[in-house]
Amino acid sequence: MSVSPWHERFNTLVDQGLDREMRVITSPVGPSVETPDGPKLLFCSNDYLGLAADPRIGDAVARSAKKWGPGTAASRLISGNTSSHAELEKRLARFMGTQAAVLFPTGFQANVGALPALVGEGDVIFSDELNHASLIDGSRLSDAPVRIYRHADARHLEQLLEEEPSSTGIRLVVTDAIFSMDGDLTPIEDICSVADRHDARIYLDEAHSLGVIGPGGRGLAAQKGLADRTAIRIGTMGKAFGVAGAFAACDSDAAGILVSRARSLLYTTGPPVPIVEALIESLEIVEGADDLRARLADNISFFKDLAHEAGVSLIPSDTPIQPVPIGPSDRAMAVSASLWDMGFFVQGIRPPTVRAGTSRLRVTLCASHTRRQIEDLVGALADALETETKNK
Ligand SMILES: Cc1ncc(COP(=O)(O)O)c(C=O)c1O
């Protein structure tokens, strides 16, 4: 057999320690999972409210699969759109308080489809330097120039807006609400003020805030009373909602453009109805889940307090994403591997997901974790970090 044309390129990744492998779990997602290496306490999923294996949502999938079967067999723009898709979009728009909501199969597809549909030549994107890969790729796919402002720095954003010659086009500020690898928040009040002063619009990705913060889990903009000041809010439903999918909440003109132009919506098979009906169930649960949000907030502060007492330093964050800074990628992966051996599943995050030299463990807390599980994690983290420091 001939040598693969990718042999050398892959070997280079291996030599740099940047090749990746997918770990396997053999049980439903929950605070503890089974794996081929035995049970592990799971501290790296985005199942913030503990709904990924919720039986109410599972039952909705089963009922729907019996009625509809698994496939939609076409793009929604051809024949793959059902009354359930329309019902979900109607409920999402009502939930977000917008004229419309447009459903996408995933959050990645929402961003790589929506941004190039909404802005192009003659427009300008202003993007936070730590935005999620899907926002970066969506911005690149648009024909609009992209100006990158320093992370969470509204003053730098303002400077870039001032430097940009005013034009008749759209000036779109694009930002995560909660940053996916750092867990901090965009300074949304300042971003809104700057945007107002410079006639810019805001595209806010609420992937990690939806379900988690704000009234009824409506996210960061709603929490701050600024929902009306954003033009587009993206919600993803594979995280706190525990299912899969995403939506853009926006006015009806923007929705009309998305349905007519977003290539990741037009040219992909409609989401399966059992997933859509699971999302209708999940939306109802999430909206009424103040008890789970309170438990999650309690788990976050419990973890932070314990980590502080144990001398485990954290990147400052008050959200479920609690990164432990390590630095070199091989060290981050070594600490992750020793935690795995101790019975904890905590992923190491390294380039290109984060900048070189800033590799970390991305610890995530869920409402479903018990205090005992969190205590055990912090003990193991302290041990693993100490061992790694000795081996340096
Ligand atoms: C900010 C942000 N946007 C979008 C996505 C993609 O969402 P999905 O997993 O639904 O594709 C993620 C995923 O981690 C994210 O962190």
Side-chain angles (χ1 to χ4, degrees), residues 43-191:
F43 279 99
C44 56
S45 83
N46 300 316
D47 186 23
Y48 302 127
L49 297 182
L51 296 180
D54 188 284
R56 293 166 293 180
I57 302 175
D59 287 348
V61 173
R63 275 197 310 273
S64 181
K66 261 201 158 151
K67 180 171 168 200
W68 291 87
T72 54
S75 156
R76 291 181 65 205
L77 273 296
I78 304 293
S79 64
N81 189 44
T82 69
S83 49
S84 298
H85 293 82
E87 177 65 21
L88 174 61
E89 288 183 331
K90 197 171 86 187
R91 290 181 188 219
L92 286 168
R94 202 185 310 140
F95 178 66
M96 297 300 279
T98 47
Q99 288 175 345
V102 179
L103 179 68
F104 286 82
T106 70
F108 203 101
Q109 282 174 269
N111 287 328
V112 294
L115 283 163
L118 293 169
V119 287
E121 213 177 317
D123 303 324
V124 185
I125 289 175
F126 298 84
S127 179
D128 187 291
E129 66 177 328
L130 294 191
N131 274 345
H132 186 259
S134 56
L135 294 171
I136 295 170
D137 289 2
S139 300
R140 285 182 183 149
L141 283 171
S142 81
D143 290 327
V146 182
R147 310 281 178 248
I148 295 173
Y149 62 91
R150 286 191 292 271
H151 177 51
D153 187 341
R155 270 207 267 176
H156 190 216
L157 168 64
E158 179 145 47
Q159 197 183 317
L160 294 183
L161 277 158
E162 278 163 0
E163 283 167 15
E164 198 58 43
S166 58
S167 70
T168 50
I170 295 170
R171 297 140 80 81
L172 192 67
V173 179
V174 175
T175 180
D176 284 21
I178 292 179
F179 286 87
S180 56
M181 295 300 135
D182 288 65
D184 58 339
L185 303 174
T186 191
I188 189 69
E189 294 101 326
D190 296 344
I191 299 272

Side-chain angles (χ1 to χ4, degrees), residues 80-387:
N81 189 44
T82 69
S83 49
S84 298
H85 293 82
E87 177 65 21
L88 174 61
E89 288 183 331
K90 197 171 86 187
R91 290 181 188 219
L92 286 168
R94 202 185 310 140
F95 178 66
M96 297 300 279
T98 47
Q99 288 175 345
V102 179
L103 179 68
F104 286 82
T106 70
F108 203 101
Q109 282 174 269
N111 287 328
V112 294
L115 283 163
L118 293 169
V119 287
E121 213 177 317
D123 303 324
V124 185
I125 289 175
F126 298 84
S127 179
D128 187 291
E129 66 177 328
L130 294 191
N131 274 345
H132 186 259
S134 56
L135 294 171
I136 295 170
D137 289 2
S139 300
R140 285 182 183 149
L141 283 171
S142 81
D143 290 327
V146 182
R147 310 281 178 248
I148 295 173
Y149 62 91
R150 286 191 292 271
H151 177 51
D153 187 341
R155 270 207 267 176
H156 190 216
L157 168 64
E158 179 145 47
Q159 197 183 317
L160 294 183
L161 277 158
E162 278 163 0
E163 283 167 15
E164 198 58 43
S166 58
S167 70
T168 50
I170 295 170
R171 297 140 80 81
L172 192 67
V173 179
V174 175
T175 180
D176 284 21
I178 292 179
F179 286 87
S180 56
M181 295 300 135
D182 288 65
D184 58 339
L185 303 174
T186 191
I188 189 69
E189 294 101 326
D190 296 344
I191 299 272
C192 283
S193 306
V194 169
D196 281 354
R197 281 201 289 279
H198 296 276
D199 193 26
R201 315 288 152 169
I202 297 171
Y203 180 110
L204 184 68
D205 185 338
E206 300 255 23
H208 296 274
S209 41
L210 192 78
V212 172
I213 57 176
R218 286 172 176 77
L220 177 65
Q223 183 188 48
K224 304 287 183 188
L226 296 170
D228 291 347
R229 307 266 289 277
T230 60
I232 312 284
R233 278 173 291 155
I234 301 295
T236 65
M237 298 178 291
K239 304 181 197 308
F241 277 60
V243 189
F247 62 88
C250 53
D251 65 42
S252 46
D253 292 327
I257 288 183
L258 294 178
V259 170
S260 310
R261 285 280 181 269
R263 294 167 68 84
S264 59
L265 168 60
L266 267 64
Y267 302 114
T268 198
T269 300
V273 181
I275 295 298
V276 172
E277 296 194 342
L279 286 169
I280 292 174
E281 179 73 27
S282 178
L283 176 59
E284 193 134 336
I285 296 171
V286 166
E287 191 173 3
D290 285 347
D291 54 338
L292 296 179
R293 279 183 282 277
R295 211 175 302 157
L296 175 59
D298 194 53
N299 279 350
I300 295 166
S301 41
F302 186 63
F303 171 78
K304 287 181 64 172
D305 289 348
L306 283 187
H308 182 69
E309 280 166 31
V312 174
S313 51
L314 301 171
I315 293 176
S317 152
D318 291 322
T319 72
I321 302 165
Q322 292 289 324
V324 181
I326 307 278
S329 58
D330 55 341
R331 285 196 59 215
M333 297 323 285
V335 179
S336 173
S338 53
L339 283 168
W340 179 264
D341 293 340
M342 293 155 85
F344 298 86
F345 190 177
V346 183
Q347 268 296 2
I349 306 289
R350 57 196 157 142
T353 309
V354 294
R355 270 196 292 254
T358 70
S359 294
R360 64 201 64 183
L361 300 174
R362 180 178 179 270
V363 172
T364 50
L365 280 310
C366 303
S368 45
H369 287 124
T370 63
R371 286 194 158 212
R372 177 66 199 269
Q373 289 168 335
I374 296 170
E375 280 168 355
D376 289 349
L377 170 70
V378 174
L381 261 176
D383 288 350
L385 289 165
E386 195 186 318
T387 310

